[in-house]
Amino acid sequence: MATNLAGKYVLWKNSSFVRLWCGSVLSALADGAFFILLSWFIVDVTGSEAMLGTTLICMSIPRLLFMLAGGVAADRWSRKWIMTLSMIARGLILIGFCLLLLDGSGGWLPYSAYLIAALFGTVDAFFWPARSSIVPFLVPREQLAPANSLMEISQQISMVCGPLTAAFLIQTKNYPLMFGILAISFFAGTVFILTLRLRPVQVEAKADGESASQKDGYLRDIWYGIRYSFSVPILCIILGTSLIMNMMFSGPINMGLPLLVKDLGWDGSDYSTLGMTMGIGTILGGILTGICNGFRGRFLMLPLFVGVMGMATSSLFFMQHLGMGLFSLIVLGITLSLTNIPLITYIQSIVPGNMLGRVMSLLSLMSIGLGPVSYALCSFVLQNKLATPATLLLAGGVVLGLIGLSLYLFREFRKMEQHPNWVQPVAVSAESTPLSS
């Protein structure tokens, strides 16, 4: 444990990693507050729940469509510049929205939120693959676990502080000021990201059939990324498990929980408290994972963590008092980090540098991009009275736990820590090396 704590201390002496962390916090904080403010803007100005749903769809579809292209971009170009341009673009989008808000309040104005949401979804699709694959270019491989823990903490800070920031800004009742402050946060984040100095990582290995002449096609590069990912059995298992976990988690938690809170007669502050509690749990889980060096050598514990995650989700079915819900959600948040961080560290360690962006984009697609599919299915189930919100949480938790425990059935999972790139150090080369080199 002392060694792991020393490793985390060394990370804070790594100026490039500290700048990445600070830039990520500012970006995530502005992102989290933006989603809440945009939703409140639509509800406040139009009062239309249908328009709110349409806006969320406008944000989700571009993210879904361009996530894999974002992975190719991360493999082809500088991840630092992709993140920088993405944050600048989000700031400019918000400045443009502020100008529209200052220009007038005609009936067309709420519909401009559709354009803002679509642009944000597109930019996000390029930002996340670069962000999730840049860590190996800033820290040595032995520090990946604590580095990913700290990056997870930076993301979860936004889950706790984003709603608080949005609540504070809403009190101003000045929408141009609200979105303008968020734009400044994005611009401030670019100052940190732009000054990153990237280190070399492992030698790129081309997928079968990939040659220098194939650099000119995004669709072709996407195909190579998919083919590579599904040619490695353990990556297939991780990606498939991530997809099913997302389907059983995002919809039931994000739709079933608020409806359950409403059915229990509680108010919005109780729901906000539950959401922030899960965010605190993920921060605690990130700290614990960093202290335990990402559970390296103890990956057979990961299915147990997923099993506990499923039990915590299912226990919300029996929630009658706020205290019980707080306990379930803090356990849920902790186990979420205990599962995610080791697997991200593992992927960053075994995947060649020129494939890492595409593999991480596939992981993001499975865990984030397909979230709307889960929402649609849960919405269908709830609207047709096929299940109550409490039953939805119970069923989702049971399936989640069973899927996690089923990982023990796969030999590739049981032997995953024997992968040569995980066990032994690898050679290095420059991050800026293009796919064709």
Side-chain angles (χ1 to χ4, degrees):
M1 181 179 297
T3 301
N4 295 330
L5 291 175
K8 294 179 73 174
Y9 173 72
V10 171
L11 280 174
W12 290 119
K13 295 174 67 176
N14 182 332
S15 60
S16 283
F17 177 78
V18 172
R19 288 194 289 270
L20 173 67
W21 194 86
C22 292
S24 296
V25 168
L26 288 171
S27 175
L29 187 64
D31 258 337
F34 167 75
F35 294 140
I36 295 174
L37 290 180
L38 183 63
S39 298
W40 182 256
F41 169 79
I42 294 168
V43 172
D44 185 37
V45 174
T46 71
S48 171
E49 295 180 359
M51 183 171 286
L52 175 59
T54 304
T55 303
L56 294 177
I57 291 174
C58 287
M59 189 178 298
S60 301
I61 290 178
R63 181 185 293 166
L64 188 65
L65 292 176
F66 292 105
M67 188 75 75
L68 296 180
V72 174
D75 286 335
R76 285 187 171 195
W77 313 112
S78 169
R79 292 161 172 86
K80 177 183 76 172
W81 281 104
I82 291 174
M83 294 177 66
T84 300
L85 293 175
S86 171
M87 294 172 71
I88 291 175
R90 279 178 283 179
L92 292 175
I93 290 168
L94 289 179
I95 292 296
F97 193 41
C98 289
L99 295 177
L100 287 175
L101 293 173
L102 290 170
D103 182 60
S105 57
W108 58 269
L109 188 57
Y111 295 94
S112 64
Y114 291 159
L115 176 61
I116 299 300
L119 291 174
F120 246 79
T122 302
V123 173
D124 266 354
F126 288 87
F127 177 81
W128 286 108
R131 189 261 193 192
S132 59
S133 61
I134 199 173
V135 176
F137 300 100
L138 296 173
V139 303
R141 57 177 288 149
E142 62 270 14
Q143 293 179 357
L144 279 178
N148 281 313
S149 298
L150 291 171
M151 292 302 293
E152 182 72 12
I153 289 172
S154 75
Q155 183 62 27
Q156 300 310 324
I157 285 175
S158 70
M159 290 183 60
V160 178
C161 298
L164 294 177
T165 302
F168 173 78
L169 292 176
I170 286 173
Q171 298 302 314
T172 68
K173 299 181 180 180
N174 185 330
Y175 286 112
L177 177 62
M178 297 180 201
F179 291 108
I181 291 175
L182 297 187
I184 292 173
S185 180
F186 280 120
F187 291 144
T190 63
V191 175
F192 291 101
I193 302 300
L194 190 59
T195 57
L196 294 180
R197 298 182 63 182
L198 305 182
R199 62 182 294 277
V201 293
Q202 66 185 66
V203 173
E204 288 82 355
K206 294 179 172 55
D208 285 343
E210 185 175 16
S211 66
S213 63
Q214 294 167 340
K215 184 183 175 181
D216 55 350
Y218 257 72
L219 290 178
R220 184 176 294 174
D221 283 341
I222 289 173
W223 164 244
Y224 283 126
I226 294 173
R227 189 171 71 174
Y228 169 80
S229 299
F230 287 97
S231 70
V232 181
I234 187 58
L235 290 180
C236 289
I237 293 171
I238 293 174
L239 293 172
T241 302
S242 178
L243 172 62
I244 299 175
M245 286 176 59
N246 177 54
M247 297 292 288
M248 295 298 108
F249 177 81
S250 60
I253 287 293
N254 292 322
M255 295 187 65
L257 184 59
L259 292 173
L260 177 59
V261 168
K262 183 179 180 181
D263 289 345
L264 292 171
W266 300 350
D267 57 27
S269 63
D270 293 322
Y271 175 61
S272 298
T273 301
L274 290 169
M276 285 190 291
T277 299
M278 189 172 74
I280 293 171
T282 55
I283 293 174
L284 294 175
I287 294 172
L288 180 59
T289 306
I291 291 174
C292 296
N293 194 30
F295 294 93
R296 188 181 184 93
R298 298 185 291 272
F299 271 23
L300 290 180
M301 296 176 64
L302 300 187
L304 295 178
F305 296 152
V306 180
V308 174
M309 190 191 308
M311 291 175 59
T313 304
S314 295
S315 68
L316 294 170
F317 175 84
F318 305 98
M319 181 175 64
Q320 295 297 322
H321 303 285
L322 185 60
M324 180 180 179
L326 295 176
F327 176 78
S328 296
L329 285 168
I330 200 166
V331 171
L332 186 58
I334 290 172
T335 52
L336 194 60
S337 291
L338 296 183
T339 304
N340 287 344
I341 297 172
L343 292 178
I344 290 173
T345 302
Y346 182 80
I347 291 174
Q348 291 173 346
S349 298
I350 72 167
V351 174
N354 73 319
M355 285 290 178
L356 187 56
R358 281 171 281 184
V359 174
M360 295 305 295
S361 71
L362 272 173
L363 183 64
S364 297
L365 182 66
M366 298 298 182
S367 59
I368 299 175
L370 292 178
V373 178
S374 180
Y375 299 151
L377 291 175
C378 290
S379 178
F380 175 82
V381 169
L382 293 170
Q383 287 181 359
N384 290 276
K385 309 298 182 182
L386 300 177
T388 64
T391 305
L392 191 66
L393 288 162
L394 176 64
V398 170
V399 175
L400 182 63
L402 291 176
I403 289 298
L405 294 175
S406 70
L407 289 173
Y408 286 124
L409 300 176
F410 296 94
R411 181 179 180 276
E412 289 80 5
F413 176 82
R414 299 194 302 270
K415 303 293 184 182
M416 65 186 297
E417 292 201 81
Q418 297 179 12
H419 192 286
N421 285 355
W422 180 253
V423 175
Q424 300 174 355
V426 291
V428 298
S429 64
E431 183 271 344
S432 58
T433 303
L435 288 175
S436 61
S437 63

